[in-house]
Amino acid sequence: KESDEDEDDFKVDDSDSGDDDSDDDYNESQPWRRKASRPQEDEIDAGNEENNEDMDENDTSHETGPIVEADLEDYTKITLPRRRLARWCNEPFFKKAVNECFVRVLIGVHDGKKCYRLCKIEDVKRGKKSYKFPATKGQKPITTNKILILSFGSKNIKEFPMYLISDSRPNEEDLVKYINVVKGARDKVLSKKKASNLRRSQDDLVNNYTYKNEDIELILKERKKMPGVPKNLGSEQTRAELAVQSAKSAIAEAQNRLEEAKLREMNGKNALEESELRKNVEKLDDELRDAERELEDRLSERKKIQESVNKRKEIFLKQQKNKSWAKVNQRARQMNENADFEAFKDQQARKDAKVNQ
């Protein structure tokens, strides 16, 4: 059965068609064959208890009535592309934001075509070595040492570096393979309600996260350890602003293409032509939504960088204030010591004068 095939160690089979994604620069030596090691002390486990409490709303075990299974659209909403992982991977909220979401991971090549699996993110941990994401146009490649623990059904759990994650959406074939394996192992299938809760929780966390002083200090400390990571927040502000403007331009362009496609659809000569034009409109409408989501991400990124800048200023001013008070206290102590010494001299002089009388 297909579920037995796919359940076997993320194996590539003859039914895999794959697609041409932007992963061409990575032909590593089959990292998908390595089994995930047991969590170590260096795993990203800070705040686990807090994460579990905050994510309770995603638990659907209390759902009453018939559970409606999630469809491809629901899975797409909580499937993270590689570009989003790259933007979030070094953020303090990363593990919590991606927990229980999905990715489309490259598992191998068959007959010259790349083969992918839709997998669930079970955990995030630190690897022994840092690596870079593929560079995107106009931006430096992001460096991280974090890796994802992914499951393809409860019996197949492995670790993957994030450069193997696809930037493309999952398709119907990906979903069918995943569902077959999950049901074959008698695991619980994702419901529409849980998918909706996961997406809502993720958006709320990422868009409203407030950086603490400890977050900034940790980020700066980790940046110093990471090779090739820019340490100048000013340059990151400039890059983020350019990215926002680029995303706005992409939306305007997508809107124009969509309007033109709608006009062509209205002027279709026959049913066949209208059907093709309608498909093109739907495709362009999806592209517009992608562009809008991209802008949201860029605006969120710009906001977080500005918060980082503000926090760094606060820390700097606090340090300067502490130094200033230290100098004031030092001067006060010196003045007190001088005053005590002068008082002692006066007292001694008066004693000497009495003796001489």
Side-chain angles (χ1 to χ4, degrees):
K1 295 193 304 183
E2 184 174 351
S3 60
D4 295 332
E5 282 184 347
D6 295 338
E7 194 173 355
D8 184 14
D9 206 23
F10 286 85
K11 202 162 60 171
V12 179
D13 58 50
D14 293 335
S15 65
D16 285 307
S17 60
D19 63 5
D20 188 14
D21 194 47
S22 54
D23 299 298
D24 295 323
D25 296 332
Y26 292 91
N27 293 318
E28 301 285 340
S29 57
Q30 296 187 339
W32 49 87
R33 295 296 182 188
R34 296 194 297 269
K35 290 187 177 292
S37 57
R38 291 181 60 84
Q40 303 295 322
E41 291 182 358
D42 64 345
E43 283 188 344
I44 309 168
D45 54 5
N48 275 349
E49 293 182 3
E50 178 185 348
N51 291 354
N52 291 337
E53 292 176 2
D54 292 342
M55 297 300 282
D56 282 347
E57 66 180 81
N58 295 327
D59 183 8
T60 56
S61 58
H62 60 279
E63 287 187 27
T64 58
I67 295 177
V68 181
E69 289 187 11
D71 57 20
L72 180 59
E73 182 180 356
D74 298 312
Y75 277 89
T76 300
K77 288 178 181 178
I78 56 173
T79 297
L80 302 171
R82 186 179 60 233
R83 61 184 180 275
R84 191 160 297 130
L85 294 173
R87 281 199 294 274
W88 292 352
C89 66
N90 294 319
E91 296 288 352
F93 55 75
F94 178 64
K95 179 176 179 177
K96 187 174 177 182
V98 304
N99 186 43
E100 295 191 85
C101 290
F102 289 79
V103 290
R104 190 168 179 262
V105 62
L106 176 67
I107 63 165
V109 178
H110 181 70
D111 290 340
K113 294 181 179 180
K114 296 178 181 179
C115 302
Y116 296 85
R117 287 289 184 270
L118 181 64
C119 296
K120 181 181 177 182
I121 300 175
E122 299 289 346
D123 201 0
V124 180
K125 64 176 286 188
R126 295 189 189 279
K128 295 181 179 179
K129 296 182 180 180
S130 297
Y131 61 89
K132 292 182 179 181
F133 284 85
T136 55
K137 189 177 295 185
Q139 297 185 31
K140 294 183 178 180
I142 303 296
T143 301
T144 188
N145 62 353
K146 294 175 185 175
I147 54 179
L148 301 180
I149 309 301
L150 304 180
S151 67
F152 186 62
S154 60
K155 296 181 180 179
N156 292 304
I157 300 178
K158 293 179 174 56
E159 59 187 45
F160 290 83
M162 287 181 281
Y163 61 72
L164 290 175
I165 304 304
S166 171
D167 248 345
S168 299
R169 295 179 173 192
N171 54 42
E172 195 67 42
E173 182 182 356
D174 297 327
L175 181 57
V176 169
K177 287 180 179 294
Y178 177 77
I179 294 296
N180 285 345
V181 169
V182 170
K183 289 186 176 180
R186 299 184 183 278
D187 295 332
K188 192 172 183 179
V189 178
L190 180 71
S191 70
K192 294 179 82 68
K193 181 176 181 180
K194 182 165 185 178
S196 177
N197 287 344
L198 281 169
R199 176 58 182 271
R200 185 172 61 252
S201 298
Q202 183 187 86
D203 287 344
D204 183 63
L205 171 65
V206 173
N207 295 329
N208 301 306
Y209 188 84
T210 301
Y211 285 84
K212 307 177 186 67
N213 286 342
E214 310 89 81
D215 293 332
I216 305 302
E217 292 171 1
L218 181 60
I219 289 172
L220 296 177
K221 183 178 179 181
E222 290 188 346
R223 282 179 181 276
K224 291 179 181 178
K225 296 179 181 178
M226 291 285 187
V229 176
K231 301 174 178 62
N232 188 338
L233 283 176
S235 65
E236 291 192 36
Q237 277 184 293
T238 302
R239 176 187 58 76
E241 185 60 40
L242 291 174
V244 167
Q245 298 305 320
S246 175
K248 288 180 177 179
S249 299
I251 286 179
E253 184 178 346
Q255 287 173 334
N256 290 335
R257 289 200 303 268
L258 180 58
E259 291 301 321
E260 291 174 0
K262 286 181 177 179
L263 288 175
R264 287 195 296 271
E265 181 187 8
M266 292 172 61
N267 297 325
K269 296 179 180 179
N270 54 58
L272 180 60
E273 184 177 355
E274 286 180 1
S275 176
E276 291 299 320
L277 291 171
R278 190 175 302 111
K279 289 180 181 179
N280 188 43
V281 168
E282 291 172 355
K283 178 184 176 183
L284 292 173
D285 190 47
D286 286 342
E287 290 180 2
L288 175 58
R289 286 199 295 268
D290 283 344
E292 290 170 344
R293 179 65 190 267
E294 182 76 8
L295 176 59
E296 290 177 10
D297 289 340
R298 296 302 185 183
L299 289 171
S300 177
E301 180 186 26
R302 184 177 67 177
K303 177 183 175 183
K304 288 176 176 56
I305 291 175
Q306 186 58 50
E307 289 175 352
S308 298
V309 171
N310 293 339
K311 285 292 184 181
R312 179 180 281 189
K313 286 180 180 178
E314 288 178 13
I315 293 172
F316 176 76
L317 291 174
K318 186 176 180 180
Q319 290 173 342
Q320 292 301 111
K321 186 176 180 180
N322 290 339
K323 287 180 181 178
S324 298
W325 276 112
K327 289 181 180 179
V328 169
N329 291 335
Q330 185 177 5
R331 286 197 297 268
R333 283 196 299 271
Q334 188 64 48
M335 291 174 64
N336 290 335
E337 289 175 2
N338 292 339
D340 290 342
F341 182 66
E342 292 297 328
F344 172 77
K345 285 171 60 178
D346 291 341
Q347 186 180 17
Q348 193 65 35
R350 285 195 296 272
K351 287 183 180 179
D352 291 343
K354 287 181 180 179
V355 171
N356 292 331
Q357 289 178 354

